[in-house]
Structures are given as structure tokens and as C-alpha cells.
């Protein structure tokens, strides 16, 4: 399924997101580092510019995830685990990258830093109720289904 998403380059050097393969779910986001490479110290978070803004259609969101190679090999992943870009946001897409490793990691201009999945979502009408329907699981919390 395809969905048109308008992209605005906020800087002529910005790179438009791209898919690594025909069946890739996530489009790569690229670092725009006007002042040169940025080093992320162990356990530090930095905000990385992409130089792009998007017009995500209503009913969709841009979900920003780690790139598997970047996260597994270098320990760099979005600080908030999954970033959410709402359809009414028109500012620059930024990625808060956190270094989970014990080694300083350098990000170069034009490097792929994260991936974005454009996904549909539902909004809920939350209705306060005095009781909820009973289930077999009931109030069993974390780890309760593995027993």
C-alpha cells in the first residue's frame, strides 16, 4: 500500500527519506550536520537535525525507530525508543539519538540515523465506566501470561 507524504527541504543539503529495499517498512532518515560530525558520548543524548519537514496525512503518524544496524552495532537509538510525528506537526524532523554503548560514537553528515514508518492509527473515545468486562487474565500484569 502506498501513501503520498509531502516533504519540504528546510536546507538544500537535506536528504529526502528513502527506502533501503522495495519491501522495507521504514524509510531511512539522514543526518544534516551543517557544522560537521557530532560525537555522542556514552550514555549521552543529542538532537540530530534532518533538515526536512513533512505533511503527514490525517489519520497517519510517522513513527521513528532505530535502524537495526546502528542500534545493534553502535548502540545508537532514539532516546524515547519510538518517536511519534503527528499529522499536524510541520516543523523539522529531529531525532534524539542516545548512545547506549560505552564507546563514543561519531555521526557524520548524511549518515542514516533512524527510520520512519508511516502508519495509520485510530483515536479512541474514552468513556468512564464503573466496571469492565471480565476476562480469564483479569488483572494479571507483567509476566502473568507466561505462567
Amino acid at each position: 500500500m502506498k501513501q503520498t507524504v509531502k516533504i519540504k527541504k528546510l536546507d538544500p543539503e537535506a536528504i529526502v527519506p528513502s527506502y533501503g529495499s522495495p519491501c522495507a517498512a521504514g524509510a531511512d532518515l539522514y543526518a544534516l550536520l551543517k557544522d560537521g560530525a557530532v560525537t555522542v558520548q556514552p550514555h549521552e543524548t543529542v538532537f540530530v537535525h534532518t533538515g526536512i519537514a513533512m505533511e503527514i496525512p490525517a489519520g497517519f503518524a510517522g513513527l521513528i525507530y532505530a535502524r537495526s544496524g546502528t542500534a545493534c552495532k553502535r548502540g545508537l537509538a532514539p532516546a524515547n525508543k519510538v518517536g511519534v510525528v503527528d499529522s499536524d506537526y510541520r516543523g523539522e524532523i529531529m531525532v534524539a539519538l542516545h548512545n547506549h554503548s560505552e564507546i563514543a560514537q561519531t555521526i557524520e553528515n548524511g549518515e542514516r540515523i533512524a527510520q520512519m514508518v508511516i502508519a495509520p492509527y485510530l483515536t479512541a473515545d474514552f468513556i468512564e465506566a464503573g466496571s469492565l468486562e471480565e476476562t480469564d487474565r483479569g488483572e494479571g500484569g507483567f509476566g502473568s501470561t507466561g505462567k
Side-chain angles (χ1 to χ4, degrees):
M1 179 167 79
K2 292 254 186 193
Q3 177 67 48
T4 300
V5 177
K6 292 181 183 177
I7 301 286
K8 180 180 179 182
K9 282 187 169 188
L10 304 174
D11 184 286
E13 294 180 29
I15 301 172
V16 173
S18 64
Y19 293 95
S21 74
C23 294
D28 290 326
L29 298 176
Y30 298 85
L32 178 66
L33 304 171
K34 299 295 282 184
D35 297 325
V38 169
T39 299
V40 188
Q41 297 300 323
H43 311 290
E44 178 184 42
T45 299
V46 298
F47 286 90
V48 181
H49 293 266
T50 66
I52 60 168
M54 297 184 182
E55 186 178 312
I56 298 172
F60 291 82
L63 304 177
I64 300 176
Y65 295 99
R67 296 188 69 253
S68 57
T70 307
C72 294
K73 295 176 184 174
R74 297 177 60 197
L76 294 172
N80 53 344
K81 307 302 180 209
V82 178
V84 178
V85 181
D86 296 314
S87 63
D88 59 351
Y89 177 67
R90 295 293 183 269
E92 181 181 12
I93 304 297
M94 304 260 300
V95 178
L97 271 185
H98 183 79
N99 182 355
H100 294 273
S101 79
E102 299 299 327
I103 301 166
Q105 299 291 331
T106 300
I107 302 164
E108 302 288 340
N109 186 45
E111 183 177 336
R112 297 176 297 174
I113 55 169
Q115 61 182 322
M116 179 183 281
V117 175
I118 303 296
Y121 65 87
L122 300 172
T123 54
D125 288 325
F126 296 100
I127 301 169
E128 189 173 348
S131 63
L132 303 175
E133 184 178 315
E134 295 286 330
T135 67
D136 289 340
R137 181 177 183 177
E139 294 181 14
F142 294 104
S144 66
T145 61
K147 294 181 180 176

